[in-house]
Amino acid sequence: MKRLIFANALSLVGAVFLWLSCTTKNKGRVHFYQMLQCSVLVVSQLVFGRPSGAVAMGVACVRNGLKYLGIYNAPFTSVLLILTLALGVYFNTGGVLGLVPVLAGSFFTVAVYRARSLRTLKISMIVLLSSWVIYSALIYDFVGLVSNGVALVLNLLTIRRTGVGFSAFSEKK
């Protein structure tokens, strides 16, 4: 029980960074806050006993750091995608459930590279967060469930507040 409480406490720390990433209007800060969030959630996933989640968060931390530094490119995308899939599957101890963070991380690794605007990034985050809401519920990460759910709503509100629509993937900017 203490382990579950500690893992949820770590998720709460990660949630603060997640919420900051969802409310910022600066694309660079989105990646910075997500990098901090992922670094905390690596430990949280290990405490939950979910190594595939820890791998997904570790690779995501690197991805977000590279994006924040402005050096995330096609070769990095390919390497991180392969690492997410290979290590995530290798360290998966949770069956199909353990593949949720691997697939979500893989999607977002490509989406971050392809995103040319804050709107596209936010919509990609909505897809990612939807996956993590389901995963968090199934592993009893109650703080993660609530924080990802709140982040999902914050992203939706930010998109609405900035007056952008959902045709993000067809834009050229």
Side-chain angles (χ1 to χ4, degrees):
M1 183 63 155
K2 288 180 183 179
R3 184 176 158 164
L4 188 63
I5 292 169
F6 180 59
N8 274 277
L10 289 169
S11 287
L12 182 60
V13 173
V16 172
F17 295 122
L18 174 62
W19 295 335
L20 288 170
S21 78
C22 293
T23 57
T24 186
K25 294 180 183 179
N26 179 292
K27 195 170 155 185
R29 277 191 238 143
V30 168
H31 299 295
F32 177 74
Y33 291 135
Q34 286 181 345
M35 179 181 63
L36 295 176
Q37 176 217 13
C38 291
S39 65
V40 173
L41 292 183
V42 166
V43 180
S44 173
Q45 288 295 302
L46 290 173
V47 174
F48 275 116
R50 301 296 176 170
S52 62
V55 165
M57 288 291 103
V59 174
C61 184
V62 172
R63 177 197 64 227
N64 291 323
L66 293 170
K67 188 70 176 176
Y68 175 71
L69 294 171
I71 59 174
Y72 190 62
N73 55 26
F76 279 131
T77 301
S78 298
V79 168
L80 293 179
L81 179 60
I82 291 167
L83 283 174
T84 301
L85 290 168
L87 293 175
V89 169
Y90 181 78
F91 286 106
N92 181 18
T93 59
V96 174
L97 177 61
L99 295 177
V100 173
V102 174
L103 296 175
S106 297
F107 160 78
F108 202 61
T109 295
V110 174
V112 165
Y113 173 69
R114 303 272 307 154
R116 299 292 181 246
S117 71
L118 181 61
R119 174 177 54 175
T120 305
L121 183 61
K122 294 285 186 181
I123 292 170
S124 299
M125 286 175 64
I126 289 167
V127 173
L128 175 74
L129 290 166
S130 297
S131 301
W132 279 98
V133 163
I134 294 165
Y135 178 74
S136 296
L138 294 172
I139 68 164
Y140 306 111
D141 179 1
F142 303 114
V143 173
L145 171 66
V146 171
S147 66
N148 288 319
V150 168
L152 186 62
V153 171
L154 288 173
N155 270 296
L156 289 167
L157 292 173
T158 301
I159 287 171
R160 185 166 188 252
R161 184 183 67 215
T162 56
V164 295
F166 283 92
S167 61
F169 292 98
S170 63
E171 67 185 76
K172 299 294 181 193
K173 278 185 162 180

